[in-house]
Amino acid sequence: MELYHSNMSVCAQKVRLVLREKKLTPVEHHLNLRSGDQTRPEYLRLNPNGVVPTLVVDGQPIVESTVICEYLDDSYPDPPLRPRDPMVRAAMRLWAMVPDTSLHSACLVISFAIAYRHQMLALPQEEINRQLAEKPDPTNREYQRQTIVHGIDAPCVADSIRVYDRVLTRMSKQLEVSPWLAGDQYSLADTALLPYVSRLEDLNLSWLWDGNRVSIGRWLNRAKGRANYGGIADYRDEAYVELMKRSGSEAGAKIKAILIQR
């Protein structure tokens, strides 16, 4: 088993949480996303979408983090990460779908608008153009172009912040009645959403749940106390985190203004 991933990628974090829960240790290949490793021809042969992670099992690549997590729970069912009760399992799947249907795109936009744009702007313009041109998804390509140029003022940012805000509200309501998103059992619902909440904390935006959504903070602390949280914590790039925290603090006032207007 081989894992192609990047240390701070939220999708890679999802998969590493599951791998740690299952006590699996694949051979790891780290891709530098700022250098465009994910768009190199040799990687695109494994993952034509040009994103991380990719899990390779017996020479066969598996792409899309949600699919990889389901594969791992199918193949290594102990400990289980899907509830046995069909109704609770359906609730788990709905939570696990949230990043794929809206939240992941919002996370990319916000992360680039606040922090990662500074890394891109440090590159020669020719390299920025090359990386943008090689992105297979035209929507993500345009969003990244906007956020690199305009930062938090990019047209796509306000909607992305509102998407995050709505998800946090839903999470808070559920976590007021159960310790985990799909009930009493830690599951793929939690591994799916945890990297996205952790990203907000890294961006110094934990104030989004410090007021009337404190159940999210309690959930986050419970998740951090689990051994598998090393799938996030052990891969932190402190230079990235320092940039995110500093830039997130600077963006806080504008984000609050956007939420007031919703």
Side-chain angles (χ1 to χ4, degrees), residues 6-261:
S6 183
N7 51 5
M8 297 295 290
S9 157
V10 284
C11 288
Q13 289 171 348
K14 282 171 59 177
V15 170
R16 293 197 305 260
L17 286 171
V18 175
L19 287 166
R20 288 292 183 97
E21 187 73 11
K22 306 292 185 179
K23 296 182 172 56
L24 298 171
T25 55
V27 174
E28 298 184 15
H29 306 279
H30 183 265
L31 276 64
N32 185 335
L33 304 186
R34 297 288 80 75
S35 298
D37 287 354
Q38 72 278 22
T39 59
R40 308 294 184 194
E42 58 272 22
Y43 182 69
L44 290 174
R45 284 193 287 271
L46 290 175
N47 189 328
N49 297 326
V51 296
V52 292
T54 300
L55 188 71
V56 179
V57 180
D58 295 331
Q60 297 296 313
I62 307 171
V63 302
E64 297 298 332
S65 58
T66 301
V67 175
I68 294 171
C69 292
E70 290 259 0
Y71 165 83
L72 290 170
D73 202 52
D74 283 335
S75 301
Y76 304 91
D78 187 27
L81 282 172
R82 287 175 292 186
R84 182 167 297 179
D85 181 272
M87 188 63 72
V88 182
R89 183 175 289 204
M92 178 223 79
R93 283 201 167 100
L94 286 173
W95 282 112
M97 286 173 59
V98 170
D100 298 333
T101 55
S102 61
L103 190 60
H104 183 69
S105 178
C107 182
L108 283 180
V109 166
I110 293 171
S111 298
F112 263 85
I114 292 176
Y116 291 168
R117 67 183 296 258
H118 299 290
Q119 295 174 321
M120 295 297 290
L121 289 170
L123 300 174
Q125 187 61 50
E126 297 78 17
E127 177 62 15
I128 296 174
N129 293 341
R130 184 193 70 79
Q131 291 197 29
L132 288 174
E134 290 182 350
K135 291 190 176 300
D137 187 320
T139 301
N140 286 340
R141 186 189 315 137
E142 176 58 18
Y143 283 171
Q144 286 198 19
R145 187 196 66 78
Q146 290 181 19
T147 55
I148 291 169
V149 174
H150 300 291
I152 200 75
D153 296 316
C156 54
V157 171
D159 283 344
S160 295
I161 290 170
R162 294 184 186 109
V163 165
Y164 242 120
D165 191 57
R166 288 193 294 270
V167 171
L168 291 175
T169 296
R170 286 177 54 199
M171 291 179 66
S172 176
K173 289 178 180 178
Q174 178 60 45
L175 293 168
E176 287 171 3
V177 298
S178 65
W180 304 109
L181 287 171
D184 294 334
Q185 177 186 341
Y186 181 87
S187 72
L188 294 181
D190 303 288
T191 60
L193 274 296
L194 186 55
Y196 295 91
V197 176
S198 181
R199 171 60 54 85
L200 290 180
E201 185 177 52
D202 284 342
L203 288 167
N204 250 349
L205 299 178
S206 59
W207 53 264
L208 285 164
W209 59 82
D210 284 343
N212 60 356
R213 295 189 285 213
V214 294
S215 60
I216 293 176
R218 293 194 293 265
W219 168 80
L220 180 59
N221 288 334
R222 280 194 295 275
K224 285 183 174 181
R226 297 177 59 87
N228 77 322
Y229 193 73
I232 294 178
D234 293 350
Y235 293 83
R236 285 167 62 87
D237 185 318
E238 292 305 323
Y240 273 49
V241 175
E242 194 279 330
L243 170 63
M244 286 194 285
K245 288 190 179 298
R246 183 180 68 252
S247 302
S249 295
E250 294 168 356
K254 287 189 175 183
I255 292 174
K256 289 177 182 178
I258 288 169
L259 291 173
I260 290 171
Q261 296 168 7

